[in-house]
Amino acid sequence: DAGITQSPRHKVTETGTPVTLRCHQTENHRYMYWYRQDPGHGLRLIHYSYGVKDTDKGEVSDGYSVSRSKTEDFLLTLESATSSQTSVYFCAISRQGYEQYFGPGTRLTVT
Amino acid sequence: QQQVKQSPQSLIVQKGGISIINCAYENTAFDYFPWYQQFPGKGPALLIAIRPDVSEKKEGRFTISFNKSAKQFSLHIMDSQPGDSATYFCAASSIGNQFYFGTGTSLTVIP
């Protein structure tokens, strides 16, 4: 998985609780991305980063925030989890903004 | 509005046959068109990609055909094998900007 780890790999949480997912890379790539994958929707971009402290919104950013204080770490936070955020979350990295390499994913269930 | 439309949703092919998956896009600013392969429980893996300055790119049994005027591109898998059974996603992007993925095609290759 191209030097990308995601933690946790599985999480079950209750509605209304905050949740933080972590993506860690050892490739020193500039770009990092958070996607969610849902049946019938494919992969949809939540947020992405083009450098330390530089982030931008994707097409489904509502209810999510991100932070990137180091090149190797990109955090995704659900401030108050809802059942609609039950999904599989993938982190991806890219050196130049083209080829993306994906992590193993985090399966999040909000009850 | 879906930026990239992918078809078919599912495909069944006999071993040795040709698998064809199609995608269409609207945004003429897109200049990078990758295909990803995903096995159950794994993250998507980059399979092959094309830029709009060429009409075809081949890597082994996988070929992308690109029609700029029609704003369409397709993945051809020659001599399909049971090990090719997976979900395939097309995507489109312009450098440094967000990727838009198709909704995926579930390919089953029957021995």
Side-chain angles (χ1 to χ4, degrees):
Chain A
D1 290 322
I4 310 169
T5 56
Q6 293 185 231
S7 58
R9 295 292 314 279
H10 301 271
K11 186 171 181 66
V12 179
T13 191
E14 293 184 350
T15 298
T17 60
V19 177
T20 295
L21 308 182
R22 180 181 183 238
C23 177
H24 178 78
Q25 62 150 327
T26 58
E27 306 295 325
N28 199 35
H29 282 9
R30 177 184 176 188
Y31 294 86
M32 297 186 76
Y33 310 79
W34 276 109
Y35 291 89
R36 60 178 291 172
Q37 184 172 37
D38 305 287
H41 292 277
L43 290 146
R44 293 180 292 173
L45 183 67
I46 305 171
H47 283 279
Y48 66 105
S49 169
Y50 44 93
V52 173
K53 299 191 190 304
D54 292 322
T55 64
D56 205 349
K57 296 179 180 180
E59 59 179 318
V60 291
S61 60
D62 287 348
Y64 302 94
S65 62
V66 290
S67 65
R68 189 172 180 196
S69 58
K70 298 184 292 184
T71 298
E72 58 267 33
D73 289 324
F74 193 32
L75 304 180
L76 177 70
T77 297
L78 291 65
E79 301 291 345
S80 178
T82 67
S83 59
S84 65
Q85 294 176 313
T86 292
S87 185
V88 180
Y89 291 85
F90 286 100
C91 173
I93 63 174
S94 176
R95 184 181 298 279
Q96 296 177 323
Y98 278 127
E99 292 86 359
Q100 289 193 2
Y101 300 95
F102 285 78
T106 293
R107 184 172 295 277
L108 176 68
T109 303
V110 183
T111 61
Chain B
Q1 180 185 0
Q2 197 167 355
Q3 297 276 347
V4 178
K5 296 181 179 180
Q6 183 173 346
S7 62
Q9 185 175 353
S10 63
L11 182 63
I12 300 174
V13 174
Q14 293 279 351
K15 178 183 175 182
I18 302 173
S19 303
I20 301 174
I21 306 170
N22 301 300
C23 284
Y25 65 97
E26 288 298 324
N27 189 343
T28 55
F30 290 149
D31 63 355
Y32 177 68
F33 303 89
W35 284 91
Y36 284 82
Q37 179 188 56
Q38 185 178 28
F39 293 104
K42 301 292 186 181
L46 180 62
L47 191 60
I48 187 173
I50 197 168
R51 301 282 179 92
D53 53 341
V54 297
S55 61
E56 186 176 282
K57 182 174 182 179
K58 184 176 181 179
E59 290 184 2
R61 295 184 295 108
F62 300 92
T63 300
I64 299 179
S65 296
F66 186 81
N67 186 329
K68 188 174 181 178
S69 61
K71 291 186 287 186
Q72 295 176 347
F73 58 110
S74 60
L75 176 69
H76 296 237
I77 306 174
M78 313 300 288
D79 187 25
S80 298
Q81 299 296 314
D84 297 331
S85 297
T87 300
Y88 293 81
F89 294 94
C90 62
S93 175
S94 54
I95 185 169
N97 292 307
Q98 61 180 302
F99 277 52
Y100 294 94
F101 282 80
T103 51
T105 296
S106 176
L107 171 65
T108 302
V109 181
I110 300 173

